[in-house]
Amino acid sequence: MGDINKLFFEIIDNFQNGFIVTNEKGDILYVNSTFCDLLGYEKSNIVNNKKIWELNYNINTYALFNKKIQDLEHINNSKKYYTYIKKDGTLLSCMIQNCIYKDVKSEKTYYFSIIHNTSTTLYAENYFSFKKEIINDIEKLKIPLFTIMTSVSAFRLKDELNLKLTDDDVKLNLDAIENSANRLNNLIKNLNT
């Protein structure tokens, strides 16, 4: 039996498609050599060191992973296109067949995916760089939005307290709103280019 197990793992390891096994917590328990070659990782960098959502662009949180495994509980097998994040930050799109295996003896459930590398479309954008740019752009939007909200709150507060709005109050707040709106507009233009 030991020789058959060894032979089985040799076959899986040299399988033409990528192969990955995870548990219900998203821990990566096994990957074959093809999977590592596709993503540019060493096995030691992935197995027991990464969660599936660190590599899968489409399932990038525990909540999404949990939803995927709940769906698999009902259908047991699915084929979808997923995008993986390669070690160099580029993205790899491929057809994935997801399956579920329940070990009756240990009462553990395992999820495995077969990655069909026949449709390996590489995207040029660098995922990590793009994510950082988006975060920076979102941070830039916060200041003018905060200024607009503060100005509107000042108008409302004076109104609720039945305080008279002076011409200076109106001009100051309207100028702040206009400047912030222009700043937001410029940020949006920059995002679109």
Side-chain angles (χ1 to χ4, degrees):
M1 192 69 162
D3 288 341
I4 291 185
N5 284 340
K6 185 178 175 188
L7 177 63
F8 174 76
F9 274 102
E10 281 182 32
I11 290 169
I12 294 279
D13 198 51
N14 294 295
F15 199 49
Q16 66 180 354
N17 295 320
F19 193 81
I20 182 169
V21 178
T22 60
N23 62 14
E24 71 281 352
K25 296 176 188 172
D27 299 315
I28 298 172
L29 305 176
Y30 175 82
V31 292
N32 71 351
S33 296
T34 304
F35 184 86
C36 293
D37 292 343
L38 285 170
L39 297 187
Y41 281 98
E42 297 290 326
K43 279 187 188 183
S44 59
N45 296 131
I46 299 175
V47 176
N48 298 318
N49 285 316
K50 292 207 177 277
K51 301 283 190 181
I52 186 63
W53 52 84
E54 293 177 75
L55 299 178
N56 192 316
Y57 182 82
N58 305 100
I59 305 172
N60 55 12
T61 64
Y62 174 74
L64 289 173
F65 171 73
N66 196 35
K67 182 177 179 346
K68 180 190 107 168
I69 62 174
Q70 286 175 7
D71 292 345
L72 270 177
E73 294 279 343
H74 299 293
I75 59 173
N76 201 28
N77 191 319
S78 76
K79 279 188 178 180
K80 293 185 177 184
Y81 277 94
Y82 281 111
T83 302
Y84 281 94
I85 306 161
K86 295 175 66 175
K87 186 177 180 182
D88 66 5
T90 58
L91 303 178
L92 173 72
S93 178
C94 41
M95 172 70 88
I96 307 292
Q97 184 170 358
N98 295 309
C99 303
I100 187 170
Y101 172 72
K102 294 186 181 200
D103 186 349
V104 180
K105 288 181 183 176
S106 69
E107 297 183 358
K108 291 184 179 180
T109 303
Y110 299 96
Y111 306 92
F112 63 95
S113 298
I114 301 168
I115 295 89
H116 303 278
N117 61 352
T118 54
S119 57
T120 53
T121 307
L122 286 173
Y123 293 97
E125 67 257 344
N126 185 312
Y127 167 73
F128 299 107
S129 172
F130 180 70
K131 184 176 176 183
K132 187 176 178 183
E133 284 177 35
I134 292 292
I135 289 168
N136 286 338
D137 289 335
I138 288 169
E139 288 298 316
K140 290 177 191 172
L141 293 171
K142 286 182 180 179
I143 295 169
L145 284 172
F146 177 76
T147 303
I148 291 169
M149 290 169 52
T150 303
S151 297
V152 170
S153 294
F155 280 131
R156 282 202 177 120
L157 181 63
K158 284 215 168 194
D159 184 51
E160 287 171 6
L161 296 174
N162 293 321
L163 297 174
K164 186 178 186 293
L165 283 170
T166 66
D167 290 342
D168 286 340
D169 289 335
V170 172
K171 182 175 178 357
L172 181 70
N173 284 297
L174 287 177
D175 285 347
I177 290 170
E178 183 180 22
N179 289 337
S180 294
N182 287 332
R183 189 167 175 195
L184 281 172
N185 193 36
N186 288 333
L187 287 169
I188 290 166
K189 280 182 187 175
N190 288 338
L191 284 173
N192 286 331
T193 57

